[in-house]
Amino acid sequence: MARVDRDVFDEMASGAHPQRCRLVNGINDAPPPLPEGLTDDVVANAGGKVVTWAPQKDVLAHPAIGGFWTHCGWNSTLESICEGVPMLAQPCLGDQTVSARYVTHQWGVGLELGEVFDRDRVAEAVRELMLGEEGARVRESARQLKIQAKQCVAVTLAVDNLVKYICSL
């Protein structure tokens, strides 16, 4: 339902490039061509890569991941929280706006990208998330929320195991 058009992709790629970002572009057969001046070699030399698809949970679990630019769909939001990865929130529609509000204002584990969308704004937002003071606060909040999420899962598993044990008697 949500699609990134060519102009938006160019702004994303150009703005994110200096921060060694990886861009995943839906489920097309091949990655889209990069914006003018941004070649595969330039991206590779900066430690980046453009792919058509990647296993999101595995990517978020990788220790090299410093942030997640997301539309704030519920699955993506939960996966990011469970891995302790701070988010750049850019909701598209529906419940994503509510999730983005929780991510940024309630839980403090992400920053809003905003509606003004150009390469300068993208570069500023990525730089703030990765290097800025607010980014440091958000990264710490994401780390703490990951710990809380793991504790909740552990408690749930313990209760489940207790019920199974009692039922087996």
Side-chain angles (χ1 to χ4, degrees):
M1 291 179 61
R3 180 175 163 79
V4 175
D5 67 22
R6 181 73 227 187
D7 292 338
V8 171
F9 180 82
D10 286 351
E11 295 300 310
M12 289 168 65
S14 296
H17 165 261
Q19 297 299 324
R20 298 178 144 196
C21 292
R22 292 181 182 261
L23 300 174
V24 179
N25 184 45
I27 55 173
N28 297 331
D29 292 333
L34 293 168
E36 188 175 322
L38 193 58
T39 65
D40 287 333
D41 289 340
V42 169
V43 171
N45 288 336
K49 184 175 185 175
V50 178
V51 298
T52 57
W53 183 88
Q56 183 168 289
K57 285 178 65 175
D58 294 344
V59 171
L60 289 170
H62 195 281
I65 300 302
F68 180 35
W69 185 349
T70 176
H71 66 300
C72 293
W74 191 239
N75 287 339
S76 296
T77 300
L78 287 179
E79 289 170 359
S80 190
I81 288 169
C82 289
E83 294 304 333
V85 177
M87 295 171 254
L88 276 180
Q90 187 180 24
C92 298
L93 50 96
D95 67 327
Q96 297 166 5
T97 303
V98 175
S99 296
R101 187 77 176 170
Y102 272 92
V103 163
T104 58
H105 289 79
Q106 187 69 31
W107 303 323
V109 296
L111 303 175
E112 288 182 84
L113 188 56
E115 292 182 27
V116 177
F117 198 88
D118 61 36
R119 64 191 67 199
D120 294 333
R121 175 65 188 119
V122 170
E124 175 188 325
V126 171
R127 194 170 26 259
E128 179 59 37
L129 183 67
M130 302 304 293
L131 303 170
E133 286 183 32
E134 180 134 3
R137 181 193 56 74
V138 165
R139 286 192 307 278
E140 178 57 23
S141 294
R143 191 180 73 74
Q144 291 297 323
L145 191 54
K146 174 185 178 177
I147 291 168
Q148 292 174 340
K150 283 188 184 252
Q151 289 170 344
C152 289
V153 170
V155 168
T156 301
L157 291 175
V159 170
D160 288 347
N161 289 337
L162 176 61
V163 169
K164 286 178 188 174
Y165 174 73
I166 292 171
C167 289
S168 72
L169 296 176

